[in-house]
């Protein structure tokens, strides 16, 4: 099954052609990072307007790179949420219009499930179940037990800031450009361990996370000049990575899972990738950085698997419909 996939949940306009939920024929991403950098974050209305400008060229380029056309497509899927409402509407409506006009099967896909399925787009044998999934991004930090395709249990998640959000806000406190994750990682690489110690919110006995206190600690460290910006960046990154890898390695042991799957934008962080591999008691899969950040290929991966199971979304379904993928 050859699927056209569209992703527009935040500030990336993306389209891809994916075969069988595993093979990428094309993946095109038009980033808005430079557009929003001057604001220090994503401006929803600006993002929506840019999606409108980019959606048609991006879809055309996806077909061109794949060497195919709409005549070759068997189904269409698009991100249904979560995300910015205006941004989602652009991609979702475009995908539904194509499906309607060509009388093709259509599927709305949860953005977070898409991140998990980026692990099916990597060469080699597919992931083994049961798997413990860590979805860690700018808006979400969730732990999911995946027993089989479409069978999930949400074990826990952040009670306040997501890890990526904490990176962005701490980067701003350190005077770094948006997005904060890559900037903090780059600055931290120039430093190393110091006397500074930032808190880790372990929330013992739970599968939940909390990063708001860490963010506040960064604020005080900057104001009181307790260490250099590079040293603060180093310790902040270490604190986030320590909690994420500590929780995942403990749960992987307790639940006796076959593998750990890491996904989402923060999964591109080199230090997290390194420590997760070192601390996990079971094999760890992490997609290449290009598939960790928002892209349409991951949406096509979900689409390929769900469509093969006969699942479809009605064309009158909107982005505000129930979309609780992790409690299926």
């Amino acid at each position: 099954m050859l699927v056209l996939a569209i992703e527009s949940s935040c500030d990336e306009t993306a389209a891809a052609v994916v075969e069988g939920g595993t093979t990428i024929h094309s993946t095109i991403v038009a980033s808005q990072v430079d557009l929003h950098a001057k604001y220090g974050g994503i401006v929803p209305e600006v993002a929506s307007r840019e999606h409108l400008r980019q959606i048609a060229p991006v879809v055309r380029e996806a077909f061109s790179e794949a060497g195919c056309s709409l005549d070759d497509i068997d189904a269409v899927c698009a991100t249904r949420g979560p995300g910015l409402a205006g941004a989602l509407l652009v991609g979702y409506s475009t995908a539904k219009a194509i499906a309607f006009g060509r009388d093709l099967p259509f599927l709305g896909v949860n953005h977070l499930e898409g991140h998990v399925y980026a692990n099916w787009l990597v060469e080699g044998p597919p992931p083994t179940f049961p798997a413990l999934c860590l979805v860690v991004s700018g808006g979400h930090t969730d732990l999911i037990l995946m027993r089989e395709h479409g069978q999930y249990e949400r074990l826990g998640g952040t009670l306040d800031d997501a890890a990526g959000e904490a990176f962005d806000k701490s980067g701003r406190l350190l005077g770094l450009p948006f997005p904060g994750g890559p900037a903090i990682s780059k600055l931290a690489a120039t430093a190393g361990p110091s006397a500074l110690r930032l808190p880790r919110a372990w929330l013992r006995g739970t599968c939940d996370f909390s990063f708001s206190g860490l963010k506040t600690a960064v604020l005080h460290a900057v104001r009181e000049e307790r260490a250099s910006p590079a040293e603060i960046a180093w310790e902040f990154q270490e604190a986030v990575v320590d909690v994420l890898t500590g929780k995942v390695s403990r749960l992987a042991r307790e639940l006796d899972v076959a593998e750990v799957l890491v996904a989402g934008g923060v999964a591109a962080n080199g230090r997290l990738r390194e420590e997760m591999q070192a601390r996990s008691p079971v094999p760890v899969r992490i997609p290449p950085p290009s598939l960790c950040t928002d892209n349409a290929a991951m949406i096509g991966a979900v689409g390929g698997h769900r469509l093969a199971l006969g699942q479809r979304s009605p064309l009158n379904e909107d982005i505000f419909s129930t979309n609780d993928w992790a409690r299926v």
Side-chain angles (χ1 to χ4, degrees):
M1 180 174 285
L2 205 60
V3 174
L4 169 65
I6 294 175
E7 149 66 25
S8 66
S9 63
C10 191
D11 63 331
E12 316 282 5
T13 311
V17 176
V18 178
E19 183 177 356
T22 59
T23 304
I24 301 173
H25 287 284
S26 67
T27 176
I28 305 299
V29 179
S31 175
Q32 299 181 21
V33 168
D34 293 340
L35 186 63
H36 296 276
K38 59 185 176 185
Y39 304 110
I42 308 301
V43 181
E45 178 63 21
V46 172
S48 301
R49 291 178 181 276
E50 187 64 11
H51 282 305
L52 283 169
R53 196 175 72 85
Q54 293 282 0
I55 189 68
V58 164
V59 170
R60 282 197 296 267
E61 190 174 349
F63 280 129
S64 176
E65 185 177 277
C68 67
S69 70
L70 265 174
D71 293 334
D72 304 304
I73 297 299
D74 300 304
V76 183
C77 58
T79 303
R80 181 157 59 98
L84 303 175
L88 284 166
L89 281 169
V90 176
Y92 199 64
S93 300
T94 299
K96 287 201 296 182
I98 293 172
F100 177 77
R102 290 285 177 146
D103 194 25
L104 293 171
F106 171 73
L107 187 73
V109 174
N110 184 285
H111 179 76
L112 303 184
E113 188 177 15
H115 275 305
V116 170
Y117 269 82
N119 286 285
W120 268 263
L121 296 170
V122 181
E123 288 186 11
T128 306
F129 300 118
L132 177 63
C133 308
L134 173 67
V135 182
V136 56
S137 65
H140 303 271
T141 302
D142 293 301
L143 279 169
I144 308 292
L145 177 60
M146 186 177 185
R147 294 186 174 88
E148 187 51 76
H149 290 296
Q151 296 180 20
Y152 308 101
E153 179 185 353
R154 186 177 185 273
L155 304 174
T158 183
L159 302 179
D160 39 61
D161 290 351
E165 181 182 2
F167 265 101
D168 286 339
K169 292 180 177 178
S170 296
R172 191 179 306 162
L173 291 172
L174 288 165
L176 299 176
F178 175 84
I184 283 181
S185 182
K186 184 177 180 179
L187 181 61
T190 67
S194 71
L196 178 68
R197 181 73 176 175
L198 295 176
R200 276 88 162 145
W202 288 105
L203 304 180
R204 299 190 187 279
T206 78
C207 299
D208 294 322
F209 301 94
S210 173
F211 296 106
S212 63
L214 174 59
K215 180 186 64 182
T216 302
V218 169
L219 171 65
H220 290 302
V222 171
R223 285 181 174 175
E224 296 163 17
E225 299 181 347
R226 284 192 237 154
S228 69
E231 289 171 326
I232 296 173
W234 167 274
E235 176 59 13
F236 167 82
Q237 182 173 255
E238 289 298 297
V240 173
V241 169
D242 191 15
V243 172
L244 292 174
T245 56
K247 289 251 182 184
V248 168
S249 58
R250 175 182 64 80
L251 271 175
R253 228 176 254 108
E254 291 177 0
L255 297 174
D256 194 27
V257 297
E259 294 187 24
V260 166
L261 309 181
V262 187
V266 179
N269 180 277
R271 184 66 177 146
L272 176 61
R273 298 169 78 93
E274 175 184 286
E275 283 296 291
M276 194 66 76
Q277 296 283 1
R279 297 181 65 172
S280 173
V282 298
V284 176
R285 290 180 189 253
I286 311 176
S290 62
L291 290 176
C292 290
T293 51
D294 291 352
N295 64 89
M298 67 185 193
I299 303 303
V302 178
H305 284 88
R306 286 191 175 270
L307 288 162
L309 294 173
Q311 298 181 21
R312 305 288 188 271
S313 297
L315 290 175
N316 63 355
E317 183 177 74
D318 60 37
I319 62 169
F320 304 105
S321 303
T322 300
N323 198 20
D324 199 359
W325 71 286
R327 289 185 177 84
V328 174

